[in-house]
Amino acid sequence: MNNLKENLQNIRSRIASACESAGRNPDEIDILAVSKRHPASLIRALRALGPASFGENYVQEALGKMEQLSDAPIEWHFIGPLQSNKTRAVAEHFDWVQSADRIKVLRRLSAQRPPDLPELNICIQVNIDREPQKAGVLPEEASALAAVIRELPRLRLRGLMAIPLAASASHDPAQSYERLHSLFDELNRAGAGMDTLSAGMSADLEAAIMHGSTMVRIGTDLLGPRPDDSEAEH
Ligand SMILES: *Cc1c(COP(=O)(O)O)cnc(C)c1O
C-alpha cells in the first residue's frame, strides 16, 4: 500500500513517454485502475491520490466494495464477463460496462437502468485476435452490435475495449492494437460516434497508446499483485 504513490507516478511517466513517442497529448489518456480482488481500503487509498475511475470484474465482489466506499466519489466500470442474471445489479450500480458482447445482456441493461441515473456508458468488447475461448465479438460483428446499442434508449455507446492475445515469440500485441485502432476509426467513419478506445494494461500500455488508446486499464502495476483468487466468484 505504501507503494501506491510511486506506482501512480511510474504509470503517469510511462504514459507521458509513450505519448511523447506517439506525438500525442497525455491528457488524451485516462487511467482506469483495475481493482478486482483488492480490498476497498486499497481503492480508498488510491482514490485519495487522484484516480477516480475503478474497474471491477465480479459483480458480488464489486457491490460489497461499493457499499464500503459509498462516501467516495468513484466512477465504476464493469470489465468482466456479465451473465444475464446479474445485469440488474450492474445497471443499478455501475457507470460503465466495457465488456458488452451480447445483445440479450445489452437489452436487459437498458431496460433495467434506473430512470434517475444517466445513460449507462458502453464499450463493445472485441475479440481482436479471434481467440476461441475469449469473450468479445469478432471484429466483423462489432458494427451490428454498435447499431443495436445506439437504438437502446438507456445506453450510450462510448467505444471499444479489447484484451489482445498475450505477447509471445510469435505474437506482438502492438499488431492487435493496430487492428483495433483501424476498426475503431472505421466504425466512427460510419457514424458510431465513439470517443473511447479502452486498450492497454500493465504490460503493454505503451503499444496501446502508440495505436490510439484513450483509456489504459491498469491493475498490477498500480495496485500490486492481486491477492489469491481462490475465493473469487466466477
Ligand atoms: C485484470 C484486468 C486488467 C488489468 O490487468 P493488469 O495486467 O493487472 O494491469 C485490465 N483489463 C481487464 C479486462 C482485466 O480483467
Side-chain angles (χ1 to χ4, degrees):
M1 195 181 283
N2 302 334
N3 294 330
L4 284 182
K5 202 167 182 171
E6 195 181 313
N7 291 351
L8 181 59
Q9 276 165 1
N10 283 335
I11 290 295
R12 284 189 175 139
S13 73
R14 284 175 62 190
I15 291 173
S17 26
C19 283
E20 195 172 324
S21 308
R24 301 182 59 193
N25 180 344
D27 293 344
E28 294 170 22
I29 319 292
D30 292 325
I31 296 174
L32 179 70
V34 176
S35 45
K36 61 179 174 233
R37 295 181 204 142
H38 287 294
S41 54
L42 197 62
I43 297 176
R44 188 180 291 283
L46 183 61
R47 177 67 190 88
L49 299 174
S53 300
F54 287 82
E56 289 283 341
N57 295 57
Y58 310 105
V59 178
Q60 285 313 121
E61 180 192 317
L63 294 178
K65 288 187 249 184
M66 286 173 175
E67 205 171 309
Q68 296 176 65
L69 292 160
S70 58
D71 59 313
I74 288 177
E75 186 179 80
W76 293 102
H77 293 235
F78 189 76
I79 61 172
L82 182 51
Q83 268 115 42
S84 308
N85 62 348
K86 302 228 169 120
T87 51
R88 183 174 296 280
V90 170
E92 290 177 351
H93 296 281
F94 280 83
D95 303 291
W96 290 63
V97 171
Q98 296 204 12
S99 44
D101 62 359
R102 286 166 58 206
I103 292 177
K104 182 183 175 195
V105 164
L106 287 158
R107 286 197 200 288
R108 291 173 66 95
L109 288 171
S110 180
Q112 294 167 344
R113 181 68 168 172
D116 57 314
L117 292 181
E119 291 171 357
L120 183 61
N121 297 295
I122 303 289
C123 291
I124 296 173
Q125 183 171 353
V126 180
N127 182 357
I128 194 65
D129 290 309
R130 318 180 76 88
E131 295 171 82
Q133 310 295 343
K134 204 158 232 174
V137 299
L138 293 173
E140 63 272 24
E141 298 167 341
S143 163
L145 197 58
V148 170
I149 294 166
R150 285 203 307 279
E151 283 178 11
L152 287 170
R154 303 292 292 134
L155 306 185
R156 180 170 169 216
L157 179 63
R158 295 297 298 272
L160 302 181
M161 183 274 263
I163 308 167
L165 180 64
S168 69
S170 57
H171 182 71
D172 177 0
Q175 296 170 0
S176 314
Y177 289 130
E178 189 174 2
R179 278 183 275 112
L180 181 68
H181 192 201
S182 304
L183 177 64
F184 181 76
D185 285 346
E186 187 188 309
L187 294 177
N188 270 344
R189 277 196 302 275
M194 302 181 294
D195 62 6
T196 302
L197 186 55
S198 175
M201 308 192 288
S202 294
D204 60 12
L205 69 88
E206 287 82 2
I209 287 173
M210 191 58 72
H211 296 291
S213 170
T214 68
M215 186 182 290
V216 292
R217 307 182 309 274
I218 311 296
T220 312
D221 284 2
L222 206 43
L223 291 156
R226 284 182 275 281
D228 179 16
D229 64 354
S230 58
E231 287 171 37
E233 148 205 6
H234 283 286

